[in-house]
């Protein structure tokens, strides 16, 4: 069972500290974007973050959300999950992890598999060049979508 990330006050506090360390100015708009990203699981897109923030900050523009997320990504505070067939989604989990991707509803869930760091990679990967990072993506149908099928 993948561990669900639970956002709480401590996460948000930690994030504010991180922003301070990176020297990012904490404007109220940026703060709202940070907080929204931290409290949303499932790797939201910029549009998802925008929708979450807009009721609280009616003056927020999608462009500000894009720029803030790009800035955070530039500083390594978040990462971008890019699939060839999907738009960019953002990930606030900075520890190494892998993804479970539902091909139906596009939900992305984290899972942790530190053992892949120690696995012996096939020989051809050494011939290809130097591996710097290992990441695994498992695709399939998530439990929610399976449950929907079962009900039909
Ligand atoms: Zn699904
Ligand atoms: Zn993730």
């Amino acid at each position: 069972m993948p561990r669900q990330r639970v956002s709480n006050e401590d996460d948000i506090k930690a994030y504010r500290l991180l922003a301070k360390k990176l020297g990012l100015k904490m404007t109220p708009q940026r703060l709202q974007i940070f907080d929204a990203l931290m409290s949303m699981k499932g790797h939201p897109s910029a549009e998802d973050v925008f929708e979450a923030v807009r009721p609280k900050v009616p003056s927020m523009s999608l462009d500000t959300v894009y720029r803030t997320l790009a800035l955070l990504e530039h500083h390594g505070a978040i990462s971008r999950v890019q699939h060839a067939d999907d738009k960019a989604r953002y990930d606030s989990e900075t520890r190494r992890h892998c993804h479970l991707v539902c091909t139906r509803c596009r939900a992305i869930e984290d899972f942790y598999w530190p053992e892949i760091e120690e696995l012996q990679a096939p020989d051809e990967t050494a011939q290809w060049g130097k591996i710097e990072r290992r990441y695994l993506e498992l695709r399939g149908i998530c439990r929610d979508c399976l449950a929907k099928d079962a009900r039909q």
Side-chain angles (χ1 to χ4, degrees):
M1 190 81 166
R3 193 183 61 88
Q4 290 283 351
R5 195 174 342 144
V6 195
S7 176
N8 55 40
E9 282 302 307
D10 287 344
D11 283 337
I12 291 168
K13 248 183 249 163
Y15 219 64
R16 287 179 189 184
L17 272 174
L18 175 72
K20 210 168 160 186
K21 205 175 80 192
L22 294 172
L24 299 176
K25 226 179 95 200
M26 292 306 298
T27 63
Q29 291 209 336
R30 279 184 186 167
L31 203 59
Q32 290 289 340
I33 294 170
F34 292 156
D35 290 359
L37 190 69
M38 288 305 295
S39 60
M40 293 169 84
K41 51 188 179 75
H43 308 74
S45 65
E47 288 80 4
D48 295 333
V49 173
F50 176 60
E51 291 302 325
V53 172
R54 203 157 51 156
K56 287 173 240 165
V57 190
S59 61
M60 181 71 73
S61 71
L62 182 57
D63 193 54
T64 301
V65 174
Y66 275 125
R67 276 187 284 116
T68 303
L69 293 174
L71 187 74
L72 286 172
E73 191 202 348
H74 175 77
H75 285 281
I78 61 174
S79 60
R80 201 144 72 118
V81 190
Q82 185 96 59
H83 298 298
D85 53 349
D86 204 359
K87 61 188 169 195
R89 308 263 294 265
Y90 290 89
D91 196 341
S92 58
E93 173 59 283
T94 49
R95 282 174 294 171
R96 281 178 189 228
H97 65 282
C98 305
H99 286 146
L100 289 158
V101 179
C102 178
T103 52
R104 199 170 295 173
C105 69
R106 302 277 175 213
I108 303 174
E109 222 173 87
D110 293 337
F111 75 101
Y112 299 83
W113 195 1
E115 292 79 10
I116 65 163
E117 302 285 340
E118 279 118 53
L119 285 177
Q120 175 78 45
D123 285 346
E124 61 257 42
T125 61
Q127 281 150 27
W128 171 84
K130 184 169 172 270
I131 304 299
E132 295 180 324
R133 189 181 160 236
R134 293 178 179 208
Y135 160 80
L136 197 72
E137 180 182 294
L138 302 181
R139 290 181 160 238
I141 315 288
C142 76
R143 72 181 92 74
D144 291 344
C145 290
L146 288 174
K148 257 178 233 157
D149 279 356
R151 277 198 299 272
Q152 269 162 15

